[in-house]
Amino acid sequence: MKKVVVIGAGAAGMMAAYFAAREGAHVTIIEKNKILGRKIRITGKGRCNVTNASDLDTIINNIYRNGNFMYSSLYSFTNDDLIDLFESFGLKLKTERGNRVFPLSDKAIDVVKAMEKMLDSQAVNIKTGAKVRSILLDGNKVKGLILSNGTKIFADKIILATGGKSYPLTGSTGDGYTMAKECGHRVTNLYPSLIGMETVQDIKRDMVGLNLRNISIKLYKNSKEIYQGFGELEFREYGLDGPVIKSASCYIDDFQKNNYRILLDLKPALSNEKLDARILRDFEKYSNNSFETGLKDLLHKKMIDYIIDKVGIDRKKPVHQVSKEERHRLLSLIKGIDFDIKRLRPIDEAIITEGGIEVKEVNPSTMESKLVEGLYFAGEILDVNAFTGGFNLQIAFSTGYLAGTSSAREK
């Protein structure tokens, strides 16, 4: 019986351990936290978007970094396979807008409980509160590992599934990168990703916490448009956040060399002509009222003061006295509010870490290292990233499956 040790009990690690054991290996998970799946428990604001129900081509198209590397693992263990597996362990699921799949209960803890059942069904040995110091090698072959207390654990195969550097309070502190480097692997530059943005412009206090749906943004890098997105945006005390902003953050890297700017369209469904007609109808309706009142049907009430300040029209001015030039100025502002981006939020707030183990050094068909025999990788530690929508967790589950089955099957 092969001895497989999995380092890390997140989504990828638990999936790898389950499948390695199911293939007949003797499996031990080593997790430095006292509990399993700590990051899963807070994913998706505690709801956990486990996967996306789209076809595999759509999933791969949403993997913006090294998507081609994922073909083998995604086709070996699909989103449908994942859904079937979870439901077989009692986790009922539902599909929401954007094909996002959640637990029916809306509780991330139920995902962890299902995975604990999976591990228990295969008698996986679990060591919590144990931190790995380094991986032991015999030449270019895995021999085992050594814990921080000096204990040695010998193994035929090791699966490194320690996550990235985001959410360090969950245990993702980048330990796996250090271990991989010590084994000769290259780690690409690490950046926060799927994260909020700090703006040069202050956000008005009464706008903090405001969620706007069905807006669109354009992201500019040195005056060149590099991303367009549609969806939901949230104003925070530091700047901008929300799903559409998190997706845009995937295109931002070096603030030392580049300037970044967001252009926000509050009414993307309306062309300039249709928006002008809408404004004229509202102005006609409120013609004897103030300009401020004339905006109440058009804008969220928490945005009105901000727009009035930006557009430079007296809030008490009667609507019927607003000039055509002022109306067009209002229209232009609604269709394009500028925010200069100062920086991304700290990496410890990021949903994922951009960068990781160089995928050219990993066999995509097995997840085994091309440099060290018996060393496998799974999950966020790899230099593979996707947009929000359940895609990153599917990457974790699929690479975990492939690493687990391969480590148990191969000599």
Side-chain angles (χ1 to χ4, degrees), residues 159-218:
I159 300 173
L160 204 47
T162 50
K165 290 189 74 173
S166 58
Y167 288 130
L169 292 178
T170 66
S172 297
T173 52
D175 301 350
Y177 301 131
T178 302
M179 292 180 225
K181 285 179 180 177
E182 289 172 350
C183 292
H185 274 276
R186 178 174 173 264
V187 176
T188 63
N189 290 335
L190 304 174
Y191 301 98
S193 195
L194 296 180
I195 194 168
M197 302 180 187
E198 297 182 14
T199 57
V200 173
Q201 295 84 354
D202 291 335
I203 303 300
K204 288 178 70 72
R205 184 178 298 177
D206 56 358
M207 283 168 56
V208 172
L210 171 61
N211 277 282
L212 297 178
R213 295 186 175 181
N214 302 319
I215 56 84
S216 72
I217 64 166
K218 293 179 179 178

Short mmCIF file of all heavy atoms in Angstrom, two decimals, residues 159-218:
data_model
loop_
_atom_site.label_atom_id
_atom_site.label_comp_id
_atom_site.label_asym_id
_atom_site.label_seq_id
_atom_site.Cartn_x
_atom_site.Cartn_y
_atom_site.Cartn_z
N ILE A 159 1.65 15.32 -1.70
CA ILE A 159 0.83 16.27 -2.46
C ILE A 159 0.86 17.59 -1.71
O ILE A 159 0.44 17.69 -0.55
CB ILE A 159 -0.61 15.77 -2.61
CG1 ILE A 159 -0.64 14.43 -3.34
CG2 ILE A 159 -1.45 16.81 -3.36
CD1 ILE A 159 -2.02 13.78 -3.40
N LEU A 160 1.37 18.63 -2.38
CA LEU A 160 1.47 19.95 -1.79
C LEU A 160 0.23 20.75 -2.18
O LEU A 160 0.02 21.08 -3.35
CB LEU A 160 2.74 20.63 -2.31
CG LEU A 160 3.40 21.74 -1.49
CD1 LEU A 160 3.54 21.37 -0.02
CD2 LEU A 160 4.76 22.08 -2.08
N ALA A 161 -0.63 21.02 -1.19
CA ALA A 161 -1.90 21.72 -1.44
C ALA A 161 -2.12 22.76 -0.35
O ALA A 161 -3.16 22.79 0.32
CB ALA A 161 -3.05 20.71 -1.46
N THR A 162 -1.13 23.62 -0.19
CA THR A 162 -1.12 24.57 0.92
C THR A 162 -1.78 25.91 0.61
O THR A 162 -1.80 26.80 1.46
CB THR A 162 0.33 24.85 1.34
OG1 THR A 162 1.09 25.18 0.18
CG2 THR A 162 0.95 23.63 2.00
N GLY A 163 -2.31 26.07 -0.60
CA GLY A 163 -2.94 27.34 -0.95
C GLY A 163 -1.92 28.41 -1.31
O GLY A 163 -0.74 28.14 -1.51
N GLY A 164 -2.42 29.65 -1.38
CA GLY A 164 -1.56 30.77 -1.75
C GLY A 164 -1.16 31.60 -0.55
O GLY A 164 -0.86 31.07 0.52
N LYS A 165 -1.20 32.94 -0.73
CA LYS A 165 -0.85 33.85 0.37
C LYS A 165 -2.04 34.69 0.80
O LYS A 165 -1.93 35.52 1.70
CB LYS A 165 0.30 34.78 -0.04
CG LYS A 165 1.62 34.08 -0.19
CD LYS A 165 2.76 35.06 -0.39
CE LYS A 165 3.12 35.77 0.90
NZ LYS A 165 4.33 36.61 0.77
N SER A 166 -3.19 34.49 0.14
CA SER A 166 -4.37 35.26 0.51
C SER A 166 -5.02 34.68 1.75
O SER A 166 -4.88 33.48 2.04
CB SER A 166 -5.37 35.26 -0.65
OG SER A 166 -5.72 33.94 -1.00
N TYR A 167 -5.74 35.53 2.50
CA TYR A 167 -6.39 35.11 3.74
C TYR A 167 -5.43 34.36 4.67
O TYR A 167 -5.66 33.21 5.03
CB TYR A 167 -7.60 34.22 3.45
CG TYR A 167 -8.79 34.94 2.87
CD1 TYR A 167 -9.43 34.48 1.73
CD2 TYR A 167 -9.29 36.10 3.47
CE1 TYR A 167 -10.52 35.13 1.20
CE2 TYR A 167 -10.38 36.77 2.94
CZ TYR A 167 -11.00 36.28 1.81
OH TYR A 167 -12.09 36.94 1.29
N PRO A 168 -4.34 34.98 5.11
CA PRO A 168 -3.37 34.28 5.96
C PRO A 168 -3.95 33.79 7.28
O PRO A 168 -3.43 32.83 7.85
CB PRO A 168 -2.27 35.33 6.19
CG PRO A 168 -2.92 36.65 5.93
CD PRO A 168 -3.93 36.38 4.86
N LEU A 169 -5.03 34.41 7.75
CA LEU A 169 -5.64 33.95 9.00
C LEU A 169 -6.23 32.55 8.85
O LEU A 169 -6.48 31.87 9.85
CB LEU A 169 -6.72 34.94 9.46
CG LEU A 169 -6.22 36.32 9.92
CD1 LEU A 169 -7.39 37.21 10.29
CD2 LEU A 169 -5.27 36.17 11.10
N THR A 170 -6.45 32.12 7.60
CA THR A 170 -6.96 30.76 7.38
C THR A 170 -5.81 29.76 7.24
O THR A 170 -6.04 28.57 7.02
CB THR A 170 -7.83 30.69 6.11
OG1 THR A 170 -7.02 30.94 4.95
CG2 THR A 170 -8.96 31.70 6.15
N GLY A 171 -4.59 30.24 7.32
CA GLY A 171 -3.43 29.35 7.21
C GLY A 171 -2.70 29.47 5.89
O GLY A 171 -1.64 28.86 5.70
N SER A 172 -3.25 30.27 4.95
CA SER A 172 -2.60 30.43 3.64
C SER A 172 -1.51 31.50 3.75
O SER A 172 -1.73 32.65 3.41
CB SER A 172 -3.63 30.84 2.58
OG SER A 172 -4.59 29.83 2.41
N THR A 173 -0.36 31.09 4.23
CA THR A 173 0.71 32.07 4.47
C THR A 173 1.90 31.89 3.53
O THR A 173 2.96 32.48 3.74
CB THR A 173 1.20 31.95 5.93
OG1 THR A 173 1.52 30.59 6.20
CG2 THR A 173 0.13 32.41 6.90
N GLY A 174 1.74 31.06 2.50
CA GLY A 174 2.79 30.91 1.51
C GLY A 174 3.84 29.87 1.87
O GLY A 174 4.89 29.80 1.21
N ASP A 175 3.58 29.03 2.88
CA ASP A 175 4.56 28.00 3.28
C ASP A 175 4.90 27.07 2.12
O ASP A 175 6.05 26.66 1.95
CB ASP A 175 4.00 27.14 4.43
CG ASP A 175 3.64 27.95 5.65
OD1 ASP A 175 4.00 29.14 5.69
OD2 ASP A 175 3.01 27.40 6.56
N GLY A 176 3.88 26.72 1.34
CA GLY A 176 4.09 25.77 0.24
C GLY A 176 5.06 26.28 -0.80
O GLY A 176 5.81 25.49 -1.40
N TYR A 177 5.06 27.59 -1.03
CA TYR A 177 6.00 28.16 -2.00
C TYR A 177 7.44 27.92 -1.54
O TYR A 177 8.31 27.58 -2.33
CB TYR A 177 5.76 29.66 -2.18
CG TYR A 177 4.38 30.03 -2.66
CD1 TYR A 177 3.64 31.03 -2.03
CD2 TYR A 177 3.82 29.41 -3.78
CE1 TYR A 177 2.39 31.39 -2.48
CE2 TYR A 177 2.56 29.76 -4.23
CZ TYR A 177 1.86 30.75 -3.57
OH TYR A 177 0.60 31.11 -4.02
N THR A 178 7.68 28.12 -0.24
CA THR A 178 9.02 27.90 0.30
C THR A 178 9.45 26.45 0.14
O THR A 178 10.58 26.16 -0.29
CB THR A 178 9.05 28.29 1.80
OG1 THR A 178 8.66 29.66 1.93
CG2 THR A 178 10.44 28.11 2.39
N MET A 179 8.55 25.53 0.46
CA MET A 179 8.87 24.10 0.31
C MET A 179 9.16 23.75 -1.14
O MET A 179 10.10 23.00 -1.44
CB MET A 179 7.70 23.24 0.81
CG MET A 179 7.47 23.30 2.30
SD MET A 179 6.06 22.26 2.76
CE MET A 179 5.19 23.35 3.88
N ALA A 180 8.35 24.29 -2.05
CA ALA A 180 8.55 24.01 -3.48
C ALA A 180 9.88 24.56 -3.97
O ALA A 180 10.60 23.90 -4.73
CB ALA A 180 7.40 24.59 -4.29
N LYS A 181 10.23 25.76 -3.53
CA LYS A 181 11.52 26.36 -3.92
C LYS A 181 12.68 25.50 -3.42
O LYS A 181 13.68 25.31 -4.13
CB LYS A 181 11.64 27.77 -3.36
CG LYS A 181 10.81 28.82 -4.09
CD LYS A 181 11.00 30.19 -3.43
CE LYS A 181 10.18 31.27 -4.11
NZ LYS A 181 10.31 32.57 -3.42
N GLU A 182 12.55 24.99 -2.20
CA GLU A 182 13.61 24.14 -1.65
C GLU A 182 13.77 22.85 -2.44
O GLU A 182 14.84 22.24 -2.45
CB GLU A 182 13.30 23.81 -0.18
CG GLU A 182 13.46 25.01 0.75
CD GLU A 182 12.98 24.73 2.17
OE1 GLU A 182 12.34 23.67 2.37
OE2 GLU A 182 13.22 25.57 3.05
N CYS A 183 12.72 22.46 -3.14
CA CYS A 183 12.77 21.27 -4.01
C CYS A 183 13.20 21.62 -5.44
O CYS A 183 13.21 20.75 -6.32
CB CYS A 183 11.41 20.58 -4.04
SG CYS A 183 10.93 19.83 -2.48
N GLY A 184 13.53 22.89 -5.67
CA GLY A 184 14.04 23.30 -6.97
C GLY A 184 13.02 23.93 -7.90
O GLY A 184 13.34 24.26 -9.05
N HIS A 185 11.78 24.12 -7.43
CA HIS A 185 10.75 24.68 -8.28
C HIS A 185 10.80 26.21 -8.31
O HIS A 185 11.18 26.85 -7.33
CB HIS A 185 9.36 24.23 -7.82
CG HIS A 185 8.97 22.91 -8.40
ND1 HIS A 185 8.40 22.78 -9.64
CD2 HIS A 185 9.09 21.66 -7.92
CE1 HIS A 185 8.17 21.50 -9.89
NE2 HIS A 185 8.59 20.79 -8.86
N ARG A 186 10.38 26.75 -9.44
CA ARG A 186 10.30 28.20 -9.59
C ARG A 186 8.90 28.65 -9.20
O ARG A 186 7.89 28.04 -9.59
CB ARG A 186 10.58 28.60 -11.04
CG ARG A 186 10.45 30.09 -11.31
CD ARG A 186 10.87 30.47 -12.72
NE ARG A 186 10.58 31.88 -12.97
CZ ARG A 186 9.48 32.33 -13.56
NH1 ARG A 186 8.58 31.47 -14.00
NH2 ARG A 186 9.29 33.62 -13.73
N VAL A 187 8.82 29.74 -8.44
CA VAL A 187 7.55 30.36 -8.08
C VAL A 187 7.48 31.71 -8.79
O VAL A 187 8.38 32.54 -8.65
CB VAL A 187 7.42 30.55 -6.56
CG1 VAL A 187 6.13 31.28 -6.21
CG2 VAL A 187 7.46 29.19 -5.85
N THR A 188 6.43 31.91 -9.58
CA THR A 188 6.29 33.17 -10.32
C THR A 188 5.95 34.31 -9.35
O THR A 188 5.65 34.07 -8.18
CB THR A 188 5.19 33.05 -11.39
OG1 THR A 188 3.93 32.81 -10.74
CG2 THR A 188 5.48 31.91 -12.35
N ASN A 189 6.01 35.54 -9.85
CA ASN A 189 5.70 36.69 -9.00
C ASN A 189 4.29 36.56 -8.43
O ASN A 189 3.36 36.15 -9.13
CB ASN A 189 5.81 37.99 -9.80
CG ASN A 189 7.24 38.31 -10.17
OD1 ASN A 189 8.18 37.88 -9.49
ND2 ASN A 189 7.43 39.06 -11.24
N LEU A 190 4.13 36.93 -7.17
CA LEU A 190 2.86 36.77 -6.47
C LEU A 190 2.19 38.14 -6.29
O LEU A 190 2.82 39.09 -5.85
CB LEU A 190 3.08 36.13 -5.10
CG LEU A 190 3.80 34.77 -5.11
CD1 LEU A 190 4.08 34.32 -3.68
CD2 LEU A 190 2.97 33.72 -5.85
N TYR A 191 0.90 38.21 -6.66
CA TYR A 191 0.11 39.43 -6.52
C TYR A 191 -1.23 39.07 -5.90
O TYR A 191 -1.73 37.96 -6.06
CB TYR A 191 -0.16 40.07 -7.88
CG TYR A 191 1.04 40.47 -8.68
CD1 TYR A 191 1.52 39.63 -9.69
CD2 TYR A 191 1.68 41.68 -8.46
CE1 TYR A 191 2.62 40.00 -10.45
CE2 TYR A 191 2.78 42.05 -9.22
CZ TYR A 191 3.25 41.21 -10.22
OH TYR A 191 4.34 41.58 -10.97
N PRO A 192 -1.86 40.05 -5.22
CA PRO A 192 -3.25 39.81 -4.81
C PRO A 192 -4.15 39.81 -6.03
O PRO A 192 -3.91 40.55 -6.99
CB PRO A 192 -3.55 41.01 -3.89
CG PRO A 192 -2.61 42.08 -4.33
CD PRO A 192 -1.38 41.37 -4.83
N SER A 193 -5.19 39.00 -6.04
CA SER A 193 -6.11 38.95 -7.16
C SER A 193 -7.52 38.67 -6.66
O SER A 193 -7.71 38.11 -5.58
CB SER A 193 -5.69 37.87 -8.16
OG SER A 193 -6.37 38.05 -9.39
N LEU A 194 -8.49 39.06 -7.47
CA LEU A 194 -9.89 39.02 -7.05
C LEU A 194 -10.02 39.79 -5.73
O LEU A 194 -10.31 39.25 -4.67
CB LEU A 194 -10.41 37.59 -6.91
CG LEU A 194 -10.43 36.76 -8.20
CD1 LEU A 194 -10.97 35.37 -7.92
CD2 LEU A 194 -11.28 37.44 -9.28
N ILE A 195 -9.80 41.10 -5.84
CA ILE A 195 -9.68 41.94 -4.65
C ILE A 195 -10.17 43.34 -4.95
O ILE A 195 -10.26 43.75 -6.12
CB ILE A 195 -8.20 41.96 -4.19
CG1 ILE A 195 -8.07 42.52 -2.78
CG2 ILE A 195 -7.32 42.71 -5.17
CD1 ILE A 195 -6.70 42.32 -2.17
N GLY A 196 -10.48 44.10 -3.90
CA GLY A 196 -10.92 45.48 -4.06
C GLY A 196 -9.79 46.41 -4.45
O GLY A 196 -8.61 46.06 -4.39
N MET A 197 -10.18 47.62 -4.85
CA MET A 197 -9.21 48.62 -5.30
C MET A 197 -9.35 49.90 -4.48
O MET A 197 -10.46 50.37 -4.23
CB MET A 197 -9.46 48.98 -6.77
CG MET A 197 -9.39 47.81 -7.72
SD MET A 197 -9.70 48.36 -9.43
CE MET A 197 -9.77 46.77 -10.27
N GLU A 198 -8.20 50.45 -4.08
CA GLU A 198 -8.19 51.74 -3.41
C GLU A 198 -8.13 52.85 -4.46
O GLU A 198 -7.35 52.77 -5.40
CB GLU A 198 -6.99 51.84 -2.46
CG GLU A 198 -7.03 50.81 -1.35
CD GLU A 198 -5.85 50.95 -0.39
OE1 GLU A 198 -5.15 51.99 -0.44
OE2 GLU A 198 -5.62 50.00 0.38
N THR A 199 -8.97 53.85 -4.29
CA THR A 199 -9.05 54.93 -5.26
C THR A 199 -8.39 56.20 -4.74
O THR A 199 -8.33 56.43 -3.52
CB THR A 199 -10.52 55.24 -5.62
OG1 THR A 199 -11.24 55.57 -4.42
CG2 THR A 199 -11.17 54.05 -6.29
N VAL A 200 -7.91 57.00 -5.69
CA VAL A 200 -7.35 58.31 -5.33
C VAL A 200 -8.47 59.20 -4.79
O VAL A 200 -8.30 59.91 -3.80
CB VAL A 200 -6.68 58.95 -6.56
CG1 VAL A 200 -6.25 60.38 -6.25
CG2 VAL A 200 -5.49 58.11 -7.02
N GLN A 201 -9.63 59.13 -5.45
CA GLN A 201 -10.77 59.94 -5.03
C GLN A 201 -11.42 59.37 -3.77
O GLN A 201 -11.55 58.15 -3.63
CB GLN A 201 -11.83 59.99 -6.15
CG GLN A 201 -11.37 60.70 -7.41
CD GLN A 201 -10.59 59.80 -8.36
OE1 GLN A 201 -10.30 58.65 -8.04
NE2 GLN A 201 -10.27 60.33 -9.53
N ASP A 202 -11.78 60.23 -2.85
CA ASP A 202 -12.47 59.79 -1.64
C ASP A 202 -13.89 59.35 -1.98
O ASP A 202 -14.54 59.89 -2.88
CB ASP A 202 -12.55 60.93 -0.61
CG ASP A 202 -11.18 61.27 -0.03
OD1 ASP A 202 -10.30 60.38 -0.02
OD2 ASP A 202 -10.99 62.43 0.41
N ILE A 203 -14.37 58.36 -1.23
CA ILE A 203 -15.76 57.90 -1.38
C ILE A 203 -16.59 58.58 -0.29
O ILE A 203 -16.24 58.53 0.89
CB ILE A 203 -15.85 56.36 -1.23
CG1 ILE A 203 -14.94 55.66 -2.25
CG2 ILE A 203 -17.29 55.89 -1.36
CD1 ILE A 203 -15.26 55.95 -3.70
N LYS A 204 -17.68 59.22 -0.69
CA LYS A 204 -18.53 59.91 0.28
C LYS A 204 -19.04 58.93 1.33
O LYS A 204 -19.36 57.78 1.02
CB LYS A 204 -19.73 60.57 -0.43
CG LYS A 204 -19.36 61.78 -1.26
CD LYS A 204 -20.57 62.34 -1.98
CE LYS A 204 -21.55 62.99 -1.05
NZ LYS A 204 -21.05 64.28 -0.51
N ARG A 205 -19.10 59.39 2.56
CA ARG A 205 -19.45 58.51 3.68
C ARG A 205 -20.80 57.83 3.46
O ARG A 205 -20.97 56.65 3.78
CB ARG A 205 -19.47 59.32 4.97
CG ARG A 205 -19.74 58.46 6.21
CD ARG A 205 -19.70 59.28 7.48
NE ARG A 205 -18.40 59.88 7.70
CZ ARG A 205 -18.11 60.71 8.71
NH1 ARG A 205 -19.07 61.03 9.57
NH2 ARG A 205 -16.90 61.21 8.86
N ASP A 206 -21.79 58.57 2.95
CA ASP A 206 -23.11 57.96 2.80
C ASP A 206 -23.19 56.98 1.63
O ASP A 206 -24.19 56.27 1.46
CB ASP A 206 -24.20 59.03 2.66
CG ASP A 206 -23.95 60.00 1.51
OD1 ASP A 206 -22.91 59.86 0.85
OD2 ASP A 206 -24.80 60.89 1.30
N MET A 207 -22.13 56.90 0.81
CA MET A 207 -22.08 55.92 -0.26
C MET A 207 -21.40 54.61 0.16
O MET A 207 -21.53 53.60 -0.52
CB MET A 207 -21.34 56.49 -1.48
CG MET A 207 -22.17 57.47 -2.29
SD MET A 207 -21.17 58.37 -3.50
CE MET A 207 -20.44 57.04 -4.43
N VAL A 208 -20.67 54.64 1.28
CA VAL A 208 -19.96 53.44 1.73
C VAL A 208 -20.96 52.33 2.05
O VAL A 208 -21.93 52.55 2.79
CB VAL A 208 -19.09 53.75 2.97
CG1 VAL A 208 -18.51 52.47 3.56
CG2 VAL A 208 -17.97 54.72 2.60
N GLY A 209 -20.74 51.17 1.46
CA GLY A 209 -21.66 50.05 1.65
C GLY A 209 -22.73 49.95 0.59
O GLY A 209 -23.48 48.97 0.54
N LEU A 210 -22.81 50.95 -0.29
CA LEU A 210 -23.83 50.93 -1.35
C LEU A 210 -23.45 49.91 -2.43
O LEU A 210 -22.34 49.91 -2.95
CB LEU A 210 -23.93 52.33 -1.99
CG LEU A 210 -24.79 52.45 -3.25
CD1 LEU A 210 -26.24 52.06 -2.97
CD2 LEU A 210 -24.70 53.87 -3.82
N ASN A 211 -24.40 49.02 -2.74
CA ASN A 211 -24.23 48.05 -3.81
C ASN A 211 -25.02 48.49 -5.03
O ASN A 211 -26.22 48.74 -4.92
CB ASN A 211 -24.73 46.66 -3.38
CG ASN A 211 -23.70 45.90 -2.59
OD1 ASN A 211 -22.77 45.34 -3.15
ND2 ASN A 211 -23.86 45.88 -1.28
N LEU A 212 -24.36 48.59 -6.15
CA LEU A 212 -25.03 48.93 -7.41
C LEU A 212 -25.02 47.70 -8.32
O LEU A 212 -23.97 47.12 -8.57
CB LEU A 212 -24.32 50.08 -8.11
CG LEU A 212 -24.30 51.42 -7.38
CD1 LEU A 212 -23.51 52.44 -8.19
CD2 LEU A 212 -25.72 51.94 -7.12
N ARG A 213 -26.19 47.30 -8.78
CA ARG A 213 -26.28 46.16 -9.69
C ARG A 213 -26.45 46.65 -11.13
O ARG A 213 -26.90 47.76 -11.37
CB ARG A 213 -27.46 45.26 -9.30
CG ARG A 213 -27.27 44.61 -7.94
CD ARG A 213 -28.37 43.62 -7.64
NE ARG A 213 -28.12 42.90 -6.40
CZ ARG A 213 -28.91 41.97 -5.91
NH1 ARG A 213 -30.02 41.64 -6.56
NH2 ARG A 213 -28.61 41.36 -4.79
N ASN A 214 -26.09 45.78 -12.04
CA ASN A 214 -26.29 46.04 -13.48
C ASN A 214 -25.59 47.31 -13.94
O ASN A 214 -26.13 48.08 -14.74
CB ASN A 214 -27.79 46.11 -13.82
CG ASN A 214 -28.51 44.84 -13.44
OD1 ASN A 214 -28.00 43.74 -13.64
ND2 ASN A 214 -29.70 44.97 -12.88
N ILE A 215 -24.39 47.50 -13.40
CA ILE A 215 -23.55 48.61 -13.90
C ILE A 215 -22.47 47.99 -14.78
O ILE A 215 -22.29 46.77 -14.82
CB ILE A 215 -22.93 49.42 -12.74
CG1 ILE A 215 -22.13 48.52 -11.78
CG2 ILE A 215 -24.00 50.15 -11.97
CD1 ILE A 215 -20.72 48.22 -12.20
N SER A 216 -21.74 48.83 -15.49
CA SER A 216 -20.59 48.32 -16.25
C SER A 216 -19.37 49.18 -15.94
O SER A 216 -19.50 50.35 -15.55
CB SER A 216 -20.87 48.30 -17.76
OG SER A 216 -20.88 49.60 -18.29
N ILE A 217 -18.21 48.58 -16.10
CA ILE A 217 -16.97 49.33 -15.91
C ILE A 217 -16.03 49.06 -17.08
O ILE A 217 -16.13 48.03 -17.76
CB ILE A 217 -16.24 48.96 -14.60
CG1 ILE A 217 -15.79 47.48 -14.63
CG2 ILE A 217 -17.09 49.26 -13.38
CD1 ILE A 217 -14.79 47.12 -13.55
N LYS A 218 -15.12 49.99 -17.29
CA LYS A 218 -13.99 49.79 -18.19
C LYS A 218 -12.73 50.07 -17.38
O LYS A 218 -12.68 51.05 -16.63
CB LYS A 218 -14.07 50.71 -19.40
CG LYS A 218 -15.22 50.41 -20.34
CD LYS A 218 -15.26 51.38 -21.50
CE LYS A 218 -16.42 51.06 -22.45
NZ LYS A 218 -16.51 52.04 -23.57
#
